[in-house]
Amino acid sequence: MKQRTFVNPIEWRGGVVRIIDQTRLPVELKYEDCTTVSEIWRAIKKLKVRGAPLIGIAGALGFLLGMHKARSKDGSGLLKEAKRLRAYLASSRPTAVNLSWALARMQTIVEALADRQKEEVFCELKSEVERIIDEDIQMCFKMSEYGSKLIRSGDRLMTVCNAGGLATSGYGTALGVFYRAHEEKKKIKVYACETRPLLQGARLTTWELMHNGIDTTLICDNMAASVMRGRNISAIFVGADRIAANGDFANKIGTYSLAVLAAYHKIPFYCVAPFSTFDLSLPCGSRIPIEERDIREVTSLYFKKPIAPAGVDVFNPAFDITPHELVSGIITEKGVIRRPFEENIKAIYGESVKNS
Ligand code: MRU
């Protein structure tokens, strides 16, 4: 079984961070080298790199880049720089907890090596990023194994946004489940919701699925209910940006609507996410910060062509919260968590708390 698809969305290349600029897909597969921390910050903010696990990895690589360029050679100077980098990079996007989780891991290394020289600290930081990436690859692989068990040959599946190789270290969470089922020779068909306003479903998910040989059909978001009924959807799999202690979770705007529709149509609704996406310091979903983005994402297609009258009032939250009551199971690298979520999440992840 593969542990990465054909995409490698981010990597460290001897002093620069190479990313795939996802805003250009599917028209062109263009790599971009980020040479400064502010370029990484902008790449995250502008969704050149996106998806919760990948945002965490990008943050860690941005931190590594910043420490690589740090003027201080040791101790308190490096620690000061680490604190500044952590706060700055964390400010790029607020909802995906993977970002603050990865940055906290990086800062812990700097704190633990406060008496060492810069070169040694840098080597350890580089190893930590490699560990974060390796762990992500392993977690995606394990999730795909558990998730695929819930899929039978002949199933018609649905997803929203992009929770694939492009959103992780290369395999995916929700899409990883589909890849695994496909590799196991199950015959599946996937309906991808386009995901307004930035069309991650239309641009990225269909691109990825098609490249991986999956039978894919693109639908507009407002077709989901008819497709669930008319095309007999078997199950829905989505990713997550942050999961609270009671199992409520934030994911791309439109996820909550799908969960409500799935409950009405009695279709199993699964969230697929690794430990790095859990935030056990938050008791429930209403505490998850929801990013609001530039209104031009709604009023004009890619900021080019107006599709709404100038001056119209716009609300543009990038995420919504799906309450745990609507969730059939949370597929993690440690197995599928079912109701009662609060108890079972605690049993699996203990008292671990994210540093935000
Ligand atoms: O705004 P985006 O494109 O970063 O939103 C991404 C999502 O909502 C994904 O579903 C989520 O991050 C999980 S990715 C494995």
Side-chain angles (χ1 to χ4, degrees):
M1 297 287 163
K2 283 188 266 173
Q3 295 192 9
R4 202 172 233 156
T5 61
F6 65 101
V7 285
N8 183 11
I10 200 160
E11 63 182 324
W12 177 259
R13 283 216 165 191
V16 300
V17 179
R18 175 160 292 182
I19 61 167
I20 292 178
D21 178 354
Q22 299 190 23
T23 61
R24 292 174 181 266
L25 287 170
V27 178
E28 63 176 329
L29 175 57
K30 188 164 184 298
Y31 291 86
E32 183 176 306
D33 287 340
C34 298
T35 56
T36 64
V37 178
S38 54
E39 279 172 15
I40 298 276
W41 188 94
R42 271 200 301 278
I44 298 173
K45 181 80 185 167
K46 301 270 178 209
L47 273 56
K48 290 182 176 186
V49 287
R50 29 94 19 230
L54 188 65
I55 292 173
I57 293 167
L61 283 166
F63 189 100
L64 184 69
L65 187 60
M67 292 305 280
H68 185 53
K69 288 175 179 271
R71 290 221 180 90
S72 316
K73 295 276 174 253
D74 52 29
S76 64
L78 286 178
L79 194 52
K80 212 168 143 200
E81 182 58 6
K83 284 185 182 152
R84 189 193 70 77
L85 283 169
R86 179 180 173 182
Y88 174 60
L89 286 160
S91 71
S92 55
R93 291 193 81 188
T95 303
V97 74
N98 309 61
L99 179 58
S100 46
W101 169 82
L103 290 168
R105 279 181 67 159
M106 297 299 275
Q107 189 179 324
T108 303
I109 300 284
V110 182
E111 280 166 357
L113 301 176
D115 56 341
R116 313 288 172 81
Q117 292 297 302
K118 184 182 158 184
E119 288 67 33
E120 199 178 333
V121 176
F122 176 78
C123 279
E124 285 303 319
L125 287 172
K126 192 156 170 286
S127 306
E128 185 68 357
V129 183
E130 283 160 8
R131 273 192 291 275
I132 290 172
I133 294 174
D134 281 353
E135 286 169 21
D136 187 68
I137 291 173
Q138 296 313 322
M139 289 191 293
C140 287
F141 194 63
K142 285 307 286 181
M143 288 185 288
S144 75
E145 188 182 322
Y146 291 120
S148 176
K149 292 202 168 76
L150 302 167
I151 292 179
R152 284 160 309 182
S153 199
D155 274 358
R156 285 166 301 278
L157 309 161
M158 188 178 275
T159 191
V160 65
C161 196
N162 172 267
L166 288 167
T168 60
S169 49
Y171 195 70
T173 58
L175 299 196
V177 171
F178 302 159
Y179 297 145
R180 183 67 179 250
H182 180 70
E183 285 167 31
E184 290 171 352
K185 308 275 180 252
K186 292 177 187 168
K187 190 171 154 25
I188 57 168
K189 175 165 187 61
V190 177
Y191 288 87
C193 296
E194 63 174 349
T195 319
R196 275 278 289 152
L198 291 180
L199 304 172
Q200 288 93 329
R203 294 187 301 106
L204 309 176
T205 291
T206 57
W207 182 79
E208 256 201 72
L209 289 174
M210 289 166 75
H211 268 84
N212 283 294
I214 309 264
D215 179 358
T216 306
T217 300
L218 172 64
I219 59 168
C220 298
D221 298 324
N222 52 9
M223 298 170 187
S226 320
V227 172
M228 281 184 202
R229 171 172 284 183
R231 301 270 170 117
N232 255 328
I233 295 297
S234 327
I236 299 169
F237 293 78
V238 300
D241 281 78
R242 195 183 294 228
I243 304 175
N246 69 346
D248 296 351
F249 73 94
N251 191 47
K252 181 52 58 194
I253 191 77
T255 304
Y256 173 37
S257 322
L258 283 189
V260 172
L261 294 173
Y264 180 81
H265 292 97
K266 300 193 175 23
I267 297 170
F269 185 88
Y270 296 106
C271 167
V272 191
F275 171 65
S276 53
T277 305
F278 282 77
D279 184 350
L280 304 185
S281 71
L282 301 184
C284 60
S286 61
R287 304 280 291 277
I288 298 176
I290 298 292
E291 176 183 15
E292 279 187 41
R293 294 185 59 87
D294 192 321
I295 63 166
R296 287 174 300 167
E297 290 178 352
V298 177
T299 57
S300 54
L301 225 39
Y302 292 117
F303 300 175
K304 284 182 192 133
K305 213 174 176 173
I307 53 169
V312 65
D313 183 44
V314 176
F315 178 46
N316 184 21
F319 301 94
D320 57 25
I321 304 294
T322 299
H324 63 273
E325 293 87 353
L326 297 176
V327 179
S328 312
I330 305 175
I331 300 163
T332 73
E333 76 280 13
K334 290 184 188 262
V336 182
I337 305 179
R338 303 230 182 224
R339 294 186 194 123
F341 286 110
E342 190 159 356
E343 238 168 275
N344 292 335
I345 289 172
K346 212 177 214 171
I348 283 203
Y349 287 121
E351 300 293 339
S352 317
V353 168
K354 291 276 150 41
N355 298 288
S356 46

